[in-house]
Amino acid sequence: KDESAHDNISGNGTISQSEDTKKVDSQSGNDDDTKIISSDTVSIPLVSVQDQVLKLATTLPTDTIKSEENDDNTKSDNSGSDGTNAMVWPAGLEMVRYLQTSQAKETLQKLLFVGKSNGNGTSSNNGSYKILELGSGLGIVGMTLAIEILGNYIEKEESSTTTDTATTTTVVLTDTDRAIPLLQHNVDQNTHVLPSNVKVTTQPLVWGTNRNSNNNNTSKEEKDNPHPPIQSYDWIIGSDLLYNLQSIPDLVQTIQQNINSNHGRILIAVRWRKPTKERQFFELLSSLSNRGGGDIKIEWTCLSSPKGCCPHALGWQNYGNPNSKDWIQYSNTTMVAVKGGHPKSINHITEQDLNQMTDEESKAWENAQIQIYLGTVLNTKNTIADDEKVEKETKRPRLDR
């Protein structure tokens, strides 16, 4: 990720620079959500699968690399890549933590399945569900969603129905072309914990383009970075996708092209760094042009916020806004210790403080700036009958971490 990956927001809306505070050091072993297997493998304990873990490699095994290098069309190193796909990031871990809560299971399962009816209690697409993850990296979020949210629910639904039609659920994990070998390796290594009733696949994806890489009119750059053809996905998910401000318009275009314009939803974990500029993501997606004609809106709801950060008062419009009383109060009262010393409010944290923080202190600093949002498509020409019910479900008391 570019230099903005190291930018951190202070309470007055300005930016201070730090070293790589976003990465969870795979060798430190201090993060509560991970266990270290080796210096190049991390493990995520699972809730739905007893005594099992999601094992994620951060580097390809040597034999796999040699095999890839024998293929002229594939390179396994990170040349031409920023390398961020091979790291575990706090926003991804926070999304995993949320997906493993009972609140997430209750809310998201209803939204994914019950909330997708066509208004008369029947499925709007014959029980077929498609979910797209953007910027999958190691695959931590997409695979956790498949295991913790999708698998058990689908199994229960299929066992309780009298029809012979099985639910088809596909989760497509995407990233840059050079990130796919490691991503596919992680999927292959976790087939024993992935639910058999959910198909998890990987594909390279170029943000901001709508042409298939096999098209004769495709540029050389796009051919070198292929992507799947545009589809209509019920859900699009991702974590920490806004770090590169220049890529936000392309990200928005990709979501616009692939989201189902009738009942699509977006689940995203945001790690705020430059909120005054990152807000354009929400602004651009708040009103989109429907591919099939008419207008659609995406309405945002904050599902999870840091402790002391009211999701209703500090939504995307006000987070990091120096003119917001709620932001001023939050940034003045949220404290983070520095080098084991007296805690400081996050609006007084300096670059020197960031460089001196322990792993646990850096974790607290990171988590104080991560929120999880749900975007719901509202089609003005084809309103889903369940929208009001779904909205009520998401406006229950939020998770306070």
Side-chain angles (χ1 to χ4, degrees):
K1 300 185 178 182
D2 65 2
E3 292 180 357
S4 65
H6 309 302
D7 291 341
N8 293 281
I9 179 172
S10 60
N12 59 6
T14 61
I15 302 299
S16 58
Q17 292 279 37
S18 75
E19 293 184 357
D20 195 353
T21 60
K22 183 181 167 221
K23 179 183 176 182
V24 174
D25 190 342
S26 62
Q27 299 188 43
S28 69
N30 288 329
D31 194 284
D32 293 339
D33 299 312
T34 61
K35 294 181 180 179
I36 306 308
I37 298 175
S38 67
S39 60
D40 56 3
T41 306
V42 296
S43 172
I44 308 297
L46 297 172
V47 174
S48 298
V49 186
Q50 188 175 6
D51 299 326
Q52 293 292 332
V53 296
L54 188 65
K55 297 179 182 179
L56 303 168
T58 58
T59 60
L60 280 172
T62 304
D63 55 346
T64 304
I65 294 177
K66 289 181 179 179
S67 175
E68 296 284 358
E69 287 176 345
N70 290 332
D71 186 348
D72 293 337
N73 297 322
T74 306
K75 295 182 180 180
S76 300
D77 61 17
N78 281 325
S79 58
S81 171
D82 58 14
T84 55
N85 66 289
M87 301 176 186
V88 179
W89 303 100
L93 288 175
E94 186 56 35
M95 180 72 93
V96 167
R97 185 200 65 82
Y98 173 72
L99 292 174
Q100 292 182 330
T101 64
S102 58
Q103 178 199 346
K105 291 181 180 181
E106 180 180 357
T107 300
L108 298 183
Q109 285 173 349
K110 286 183 178 180
L111 294 177
L112 275 161
F113 302 105
V114 179
K116 193 184 169 221
S117 76
N118 59 14
N120 59 10
T122 60
S123 173
S124 56
N125 62 348
N126 299 320
S128 177
Y129 304 91
K130 293 188 296 185
I131 299 165
L132 174 70
E133 182 182 16
L134 302 176
S136 298
L138 299 177
I140 179 176
V141 172
M143 284 192 279
T144 298
L145 179 77
I147 296 168
E148 306 285 14
I149 303 296
L150 302 176
N152 287 344
Y153 184 88
I154 295 173
E155 184 178 354
K156 291 177 182 177
E157 287 297 296
E158 290 180 347
S159 63
S160 63
T161 183
T162 57
T163 63
D164 295 329
T165 303
T167 299
T168 302
T169 300
T170 302
V171 180
V172 182
L173 312 182
T174 67
D175 211 304
T176 63
D177 184 49
R178 294 182 182 276
I180 295 302
L182 180 58
L183 180 58
Q184 183 62 54
H185 172 76
N186 281 331
V187 172
D188 294 340
Q189 295 303 303
N190 287 283
T191 54
H192 64 291
V193 293
L194 290 171
S196 58
N197 49 16
V198 178
K199 182 179 180 181
V200 179
T201 66
T202 65
Q203 289 194 42
L205 177 65
V206 176
W207 292 357
T209 179
N210 59 3
R211 292 178 292 180
N212 188 279
S213 57
N214 295 324
N215 191 312
N216 292 331
N217 295 324
T218 303
S219 68
K220 182 180 183 301
E221 180 181 0
E222 289 177 304
K223 287 181 179 179
D224 291 340
N225 295 276
H227 52 86
I230 292 172
Q231 299 185 44
S232 179
Y233 288 92
D234 304 299
W235 280 64
I236 294 179
I237 65 173
S239 61
D240 210 347
L241 302 180
L242 310 184
Y243 69 91
N244 185 346
L245 298 175
Q246 294 180 343
S247 70
I248 289 179
D250 289 337
L251 171 62
V252 169
Q253 182 181 349
T254 298
I255 292 175
Q256 179 184 7
Q257 291 170 343
N258 288 280
I259 194 71
N260 187 297
S261 59
N262 287 327
H263 54 248
R265 291 189 173 88
I266 303 165
L267 183 66
I268 181 172
V270 178
R271 195 313 197 173
W272 295 103
R273 295 182 183 83
K274 295 182 177 180
T276 55
K277 296 181 179 179
E278 291 160 340
R279 252 185 283 280
Q280 67 172 305
F281 170 79
F282 293 93
E283 293 169 349
L284 291 172
L285 280 177
S286 292
S287 181
L288 294 177
S289 176
N290 187 347
R291 296 186 305 274
D295 293 327
I296 62 173
K297 288 180 58 180
I298 294 183
E299 184 176 79
W300 295 98
T301 303
C302 186
L303 295 180
S304 177
S305 264
K307 185 176 182 179
C309 178
C310 175
H312 300 295
L314 273 181
W316 63 268
Q317 299 96 331
N318 290 323
Y319 194 97
N321 182 354
N323 297 319
S324 167
K325 293 181 179 179
D326 294 302
W327 167 251
I328 293 173
Q329 179 180 358
Y330 172 70
S331 59
N332 280 329
T333 57
T334 301
M335 314 297 285
V336 176
V338 178
K339 206 174 181 179
H342 187 72
K344 301 176 67 173
S345 62
I346 61 173
N347 66 335
H348 289 116
I349 296 293
T350 65
E351 177 181 354
Q352 183 179 3
D353 292 332
L354 294 171
N355 293 332
Q356 292 178 345
M357 285 181 179
T358 65
D359 290 337
E360 284 299 309
E361 292 165 351
S362 292
K363 176 186 173 183
W365 164 256
E366 289 289 327
N367 288 344
Q369 298 167 103
I370 298 173
Q371 293 182 304
I372 296 176
Y373 285 90
L374 174 71
T376 301
V377 169
L378 302 177
N379 190 331
T380 58
K381 282 196 172 183
N382 185 20
T383 303
I384 303 300
D386 286 348
D387 275 344
E388 292 183 1
K389 178 181 177 182
V390 167
E391 187 173 346
K392 289 180 181 178
E393 289 291 339
T394 59
K395 286 188 176 179
R396 64 183 59 197
R398 305 292 172 226
L399 191 67
D400 197 24
R401 60 180 187 265

